[in-house]
Amino acid sequence: FDTQAMFNRISEMFPFLATAQIKERWAAHIDVTPDSLPVIDELTAVPGLFMCSGFSGHGFGIAPGAGTLMADLVTGAKPIVDPAAFSLKRFFKN
């Protein structure tokens, strides 16, 4: 992704931006699952390994609940919600 080329093109479209400067750039990958819900689960193939990923760009909004659920799963406490909807197994046919 060439931000400078995009900026140049936008400056052509909106000449008043020609004197603007890019002060900062940021980019990242967004982890997405097929159903756009995160995986919050213990990986049965490796006991003791937990996964909390696939937030589809919504991590900041649901992080407090996801973190609490993950802490419950890791410590063996009663989960605050039913974790079945976040199981990795939901993507595998029996």
Side-chain angles (χ1 to χ4, degrees):
F1 184 73
D2 186 348
T3 55
Q4 189 61 51
M6 185 170 76
F7 180 75
N8 293 343
R9 179 68 180 123
I10 290 171
S11 295
E12 291 171 9
M13 295 169 62
F14 303 98
F16 68 91
L17 293 175
T19 58
Q21 295 178 347
I22 297 174
K23 292 287 187 184
E24 190 173 327
R25 298 168 197 228
W26 181 88
H29 292 280
I30 294 178
D31 51 348
V32 179
T33 61
D35 61 4
S36 299
L37 292 175
V39 172
I40 304 172
D41 199 4
E42 180 174 15
L43 305 181
T44 55
V46 184
L49 178 62
F50 292 81
M51 179 180 196
C52 191
S53 183
F55 286 85
S56 306
H58 297 96
F60 286 112
I62 61 176
T68 301
L69 176 58
M70 179 54 74
D72 290 344
L73 295 176
V74 170
T75 62
K78 182 178 188 275
I80 58 166
V81 296
D82 182 0
F86 307 107
S87 171
L88 180 63
K89 296 175 190 133
R90 71 186 189 267
F91 299 116
F92 300 99
K93 302 288 181 198
N94 292 350

